[in-house]
Amino acid sequence: MAYRRSDVIQLYKNLLYMGREYPAGYEYFRKRLRTAFLNNKEEIDQKKIDELIGRGEFVSKEIEALYMLRKYRTLKKRYYETEQSETYKMQKIESHVDS
């Protein structure tokens, strides 16, 4: 598949947008992203460009999965912490009642 310059720019913008919430920080992500794109700036082999675009799309999906996992863990933590703390409180109350 032949990619145009606009496709590369769109991928860069998409990755840059996704990097806003990156765990290591936006500046870290932006520098690494910029370096990766600049290292391959002079590439003219269409096959190699296709591979690089595919790799960029893979990274985009991985970052999205990372964010989804983080959200899932946060929700799970909130839900189960409440349930466990209530169980602990009930056990504590029962132990005082038994004493």
Side-chain angles (χ1 to χ4, degrees):
M1 176 182 229
Y3 290 98
R4 297 186 321 259
R5 185 173 192 266
S6 62
D7 296 331
V8 175
I9 291 171
Q10 185 61 39
L11 177 63
Y12 182 81
K13 286 181 178 181
N14 185 31
L15 287 168
L16 198 59
Y17 177 79
M18 294 179 79
R20 291 180 308 143
E21 297 178 27
Y22 194 72
Y26 177 71
E27 284 302 314
Y28 171 80
F29 185 85
R30 189 179 65 80
K31 286 178 187 175
R32 297 274 313 254
L33 180 65
R34 186 167 192 262
T35 303
F37 273 78
L38 286 177
N39 286 342
N40 298 303
K41 175 175 124 173
E42 301 297 325
E43 190 63 51
I44 56 171
D45 180 24
Q46 193 60 41
K47 195 172 191 177
K48 179 71 174 172
I49 293 172
D50 292 344
E51 289 175 17
L52 292 169
I53 294 287
R55 187 168 158 199
E57 290 170 350
F58 173 77
V59 168
S60 176
K61 290 176 185 175
E62 287 293 313
I63 292 170
E64 187 177 349
L66 175 73
Y67 293 157
M68 291 174 71
L69 180 62
R70 185 175 70 186
K71 288 177 183 178
Y72 168 77
R73 286 181 177 167
T74 301
L75 290 173
K76 184 177 177 183
K77 183 178 176 184
R78 287 179 187 168
Y79 178 75
Y80 286 112
E81 270 187 7
T82 304
E83 184 178 296
Q84 290 174 354
S85 64
E86 288 176 6
T87 304
Y88 176 74
K89 287 176 186 177
M90 290 300 292
Q91 290 173 351
K92 193 172 181 181
I93 291 171
E94 288 174 359
S95 68
H96 283 296
V97 171
D98 291 340
S99 308

